[in-house]
């Protein structure tokens, strides 16, 4: 793999708050998912990579060059920030056109590129509306348009699917996959595992400012799946349900809740458990009022992995 | 791909000059800059109606309006337009868009500075012109009156240039620069300008007042204890200070790392 982005002993902190610590990483072409819970250091890493922050220790290079203050490198970089920010007095068109002009395109080409970028994110029809009249999801798409309008070789997207409606979520995922297929480098951050999983198999797990694991998502999935999952259920006949579940090999324990209507099940094989549960509901007519899985959030997964 | 290296300054200037007039703050300042015009018109109407003596409106202009403009309106406008050049980008978290494009940061800062300066200059200039016309309606055929106007307008532009460059540098350096700016305008400038000797030269207002064509003794408290410097020296000092502040602003903006809150 030829590294497009290279981080060596990269550390960054804000006063006493740690951003990232001692990160060594090489990212090549294709899509890489940067996965971690909120506050893990994903945005700090991407902001250093986008030349917004200076590393305290170590260095980060893109195409062999340091980024901060290297303005010409931004011809090759596209960055979609996480912040919900835009020039609210401008229209979507004015905003994108301004950036296209600043990317060095002449008027005609800038207009063509802006039109293409806005069409890609579905904002062409609302291009003349002021940005302050856009919904959250539209502003998110506008930010995405700003990062792809100059067709960069490396695209860095910080939580690009946040606040986007389901239809556009799928389209944006498709767009990201297309970028990856074209041989460009895409780094996409998220704290939602299935989001990343549907775009790429190459992931970097980041937690408390450090790279926790890197590699193929299936290997990491395996790590996650080998740990017991908890599922909380609420139903009218919890004892009957518990009796059925405890008979199976994949349930290791069942605890009853104090209200007499809920139970918490621990399982080592999450997928098998849910298949069996669906069967029980269908065949035995067990009515389930509520299913919650405290382990579904990424923080819980990380807690498992680091052995908390 | 049709891409070329070009000077981004005019692009930044044109874009922010246009969008700046849509900002609520600019609209509020347009109203603020019309207050002196309204005052002047009231004076003129009262003079015409005979409620005031002849030339009272012209005297009011010389004694009150100049103070209002040069000690209040110009520094305050410069403070808000100058310090928000960078601060607005930080507050709205939009700086990232201007610093991830292949242009030098100095072009961004100077383009935005020119846009802000021109907006403020238009507000001050138009208001000042209307006030002047209202005050001197009877002597519009007099060349001296127009000469006076040219000096007033020139001085206000120089003053705006210098103050807004200073506040741009302050805004590039710190986030809450408006508070420091208010202290500078209403604290330091208001007090130190009355100190005798060389001390008063450490204010911008000293050099601004030295350019005003109001003879000592006729300007009331406006020129209290002012020991004016020669006009040419004043122009050069204001220009030099303005350029120095701008260079400082560029120096800071190109090197400083701006952290857009919620780090992590």
């Amino acid at each position: 793999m030829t590294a497009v982005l290279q981080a060596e002993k990269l550390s960054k902190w804000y006063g006493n708050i740690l951003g990232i610590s001692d990160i060594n990483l090489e990212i090549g072409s294709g899509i890489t998912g940067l996965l971690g819970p909120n506050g893990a250091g994903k945005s700090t890493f991407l902001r250093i990579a986008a030349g917004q922050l200076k590393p305290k220790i170590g260095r980060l290079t893109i195409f062999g060059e340091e980024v901060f203050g290297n303005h010409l490198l931004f011809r090759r970089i596209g960055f979609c920030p996480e912040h919900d920010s835009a020039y609210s007095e401008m229209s979507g068109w004015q905003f994108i056109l301004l950036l296209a002009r600043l990317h060095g395109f002449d008027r005609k080409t800038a207009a063509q590129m802006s039109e293409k970028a806005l069409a890609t994110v579905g904002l062409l029809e609302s291009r003349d509306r002021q940005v302050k009249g856009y919904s959250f999801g539209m502003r998110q798409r506008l930010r995405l348009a700003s990062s792809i309008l100059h067709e960069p070789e490396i695209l860095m997207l910080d939580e690009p699917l946040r606040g986007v409606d389901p239809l556009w979520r799928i389209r944006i995922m498709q767009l990201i996959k297309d970028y990856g297929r074209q041989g460009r480098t895409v780094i996409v951050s998220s704290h939602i595992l299935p989001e990343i999983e549907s775009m790429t198999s190459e992931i970097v797990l980041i937690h408390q400012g450090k790279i926790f694991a890197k590699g193929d998502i299936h290997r990491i999935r395996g790590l996650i799946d080998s740990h017991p999952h908890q599922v909380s259920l609420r139903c009218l006949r919890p004892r009957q349900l518990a009796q059925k579940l405890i008979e199976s090999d994949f349930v290791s324990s069942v605890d009853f809740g104090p209200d007499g209507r809920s139970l918490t099940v621990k399982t080592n094989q999450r997928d098998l458990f849910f298949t069996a549960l669906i069967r029980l509901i269908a065949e035995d007519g067990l009515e389930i009022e509520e299913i919650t899985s405290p382990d579904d959030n990424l923080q819980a997964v990380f807690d498992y992995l680091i052995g908390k | 791909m049709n891409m070329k290296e070009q000077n981004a300054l005019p692009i930044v200037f044109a874009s922010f000059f246009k969008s700046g007039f849509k900002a609520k703050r600019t609209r509020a300042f347009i109203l603020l800059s019309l207050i002196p015009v309204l005052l002047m018109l009231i004076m003129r109407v009262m003079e015409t109606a005979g409620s005031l003596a002849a030339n009272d409106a012209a005297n009011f202009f010389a004694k009150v309006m100049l103070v209002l403009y040069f000690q209040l309106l110009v520094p305050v406008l410069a403070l808000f337009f100058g310090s928000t050049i960078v601060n607005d980008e930080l507050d709205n978290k939009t700086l990232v868009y201007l610093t991830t494009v292949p242009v030098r940061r100095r072009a961004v800062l100077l383009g935005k500075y020119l846009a802000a300066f021109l907006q403020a200059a238009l507000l001050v200039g138009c208001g000042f012109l209307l006030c002047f016309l209202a005050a001197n309606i009877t002597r519009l055929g007099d060349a001296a009156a127009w000469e006076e106007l040219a000096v007033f307008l020139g001085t206000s532009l120089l003053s705006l240039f210098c103050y807004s460059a200073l506040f741009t540098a302050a805004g590039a350096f710190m986030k809450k620069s408006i508070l420091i700016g208010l202290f500078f305008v209403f604290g330091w400038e208001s007090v130190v300008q009355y100190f005798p000797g060389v001390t008063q030269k450490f204010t911008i207002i000293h050099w601004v007042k030295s350019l005003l064509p109001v003879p000592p003794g006729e300007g009331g408290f406006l020129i209290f204890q002012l020991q004016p410097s020669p006009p040419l020296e004043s122009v050069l000092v204001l220009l030099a200070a303005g350029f120095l502040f701008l260079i400082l602003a560029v120096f800071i903006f190109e090197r400083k790392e701006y952290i857009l809150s919620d780090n992590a």
Side-chain angles (χ1 to χ4, degrees), chain A residues 12 43 54 85 87 106, chain B residues 2 89 93 97 255 257 264:
Chain A
K12 175 77 188 173
S43 294
K54 294 178 194 173
S85 58
Y87 293 103
D106 59 45
Chain B
N2 193 4
E89 300 285 341
K93 295 168 184 167
Y97 302 114
R255 284 156 184 81
E257 167 194 69

Side-chain angles (χ1 to χ4, degrees), chain A residues 196-207:
Chain A
I196 294 288
E197 212 171 8
S198 62
M199 286 183 273
T200 181
S201 60
E202 189 65 28
I203 65 167
V204 174
L205 285 182
I206 185 163
H207 184 57

Side-chain angles (χ1 to χ4, degrees), chain B:
Chain B
M1 215 184 281
N2 193 4
M3 254 170 106
K4 61 180 181 185
E5 177 94 41
Q6 61 182 1
N7 191 355
L9 195 148
I11 298 168
V12 175
F13 165 75
S15 184
F16 284 94
F17 181 70
K18 238 187 279 175
S19 64
F21 279 108
K22 291 178 192 163
K24 280 181 191 163
R25 184 178 50 233
T26 312
R27 289 175 184 173
F29 281 128
I30 290 174
L31 291 176
L32 184 72
S33 65
L34 287 177
I35 292 173
V37 180
L38 193 68
L39 279 175
M40 209 56 243
L41 281 174
I42 293 169
M43 291 296 291
R44 170 53 61 195
V45 170
M46 285 170 76
E47 192 183 294
T48 312
S51 307
L52 293 173
N55 288 331
D56 269 4
N59 286 336
F60 179 75
F61 178 78
K63 287 179 181 174
V64 181
M65 284 297 151
L66 292 184
V67 178
L68 199 64
Y69 267 98
F70 288 101
Q71 287 206 189
L72 183 72
L73 205 61
V74 168
V76 167
L77 280 179
L79 171 62
F80 280 91
F81 279 94
S83 61
T84 53
I85 287 174
V86 177
N87 280 182
D88 267 4
E89 300 285 341
L90 299 178
D91 290 341
N92 301 329
K93 295 168 184 167
T94 43
L95 187 66
V96 61
Y97 302 114
L98 299 178
T99 50
T100 50
V101 283
V103 298
R104 289 182 194 280
R105 284 189 176 199
R106 75 183 67 156
V108 170
L109 185 85
L110 294 177
K112 285 201 75 182
Y113 170 79
L114 278 181
F117 170 72
L118 200 61
Q119 282 167 358
L122 278 173
L123 293 190
V124 170
C126 292
F128 207 93
L129 182 68
L130 290 172
C131 277
F132 183 84
L133 291 176
N136 297 284
I137 195 89
T138 53
R139 50 189 283 254
L140 291 182
D142 185 357
W146 293 101
E147 206 177 296
E148 229 170 67
L149 174 68
V151 174
F152 286 150
L153 284 178
T155 307
S156 61
L157 286 183
L158 260 178
S159 171
L160 259 182
F161 167 70
C162 192
Y163 274 117
S164 46
L166 170 68
F167 296 131
T168 302
F173 182 66
M174 65 186 105
K175 212 172 172 190
K176 300 289 173 201
S177 59
I178 283 193
L179 293 176
I180 304 288
L182 285 171
F183 171 77
F184 178 78
V185 171
F186 297 110
W188 178 263
E189 290 266 290
S190 300
V191 175
V192 177
Q193 63 168 312
Y194 298 122
F195 284 8
V198 185
T199 321
Q200 60 183 258
K201 293 189 177 182
F202 290 103
T203 63
I204 295 174
I205 194 72
H206 165 82
W207 304 100
V208 172
K209 281 184 177 177
S210 297
L211 288 171
L212 294 178
V214 183
E218 281 185 36
F221 63 90
L222 169 69
I223 50 165
F224 176 72
Q225 280 197 0
L226 174 73
Q227 296 161 345
S229 298
L232 181 64
E233 187 188 336
S234 301
V235 170
L236 291 176
V237 167
L238 286 172
L239 281 174
F243 281 115
L244 268 177
F245 292 141
L246 272 186
I247 291 168
L248 181 67
V250 166
F251 182 84
I252 296 167
F253 190 63
E254 288 205 323
R255 284 156 184 81
K256 192 168 158 67
E257 167 194 69
Y258 294 98
I259 295 167
L260 305 178
S261 70
D262 56 283
N263 323 311

Side-chain angles (χ1 to χ4, degrees), chain A residues 235-249:
Chain A
C235 60
L236 289 172
R237 291 177 287 163
R239 288 187 181 279
Q240 211 176 333
L241 178 63
Q243 191 186 4
K244 296 271 181 192
L245 287 173
I246 204 75
E247 286 169 3
S248 57
D249 296 337

Side-chain angles (χ1 to χ4, degrees), chain A residues 139-158:
Chain A
R139 289 198 299 274
Q140 178 74 304
R141 284 189 272 146
L142 186 68
R143 283 200 290 283
L144 184 64
S146 77
S147 66
I148 59 168
L149 82 101
H150 57 296
E151 297 176 350
E153 291 165 63
I154 173 165
L155 182 61
M156 293 183 281
L157 310 167
D158 198 355

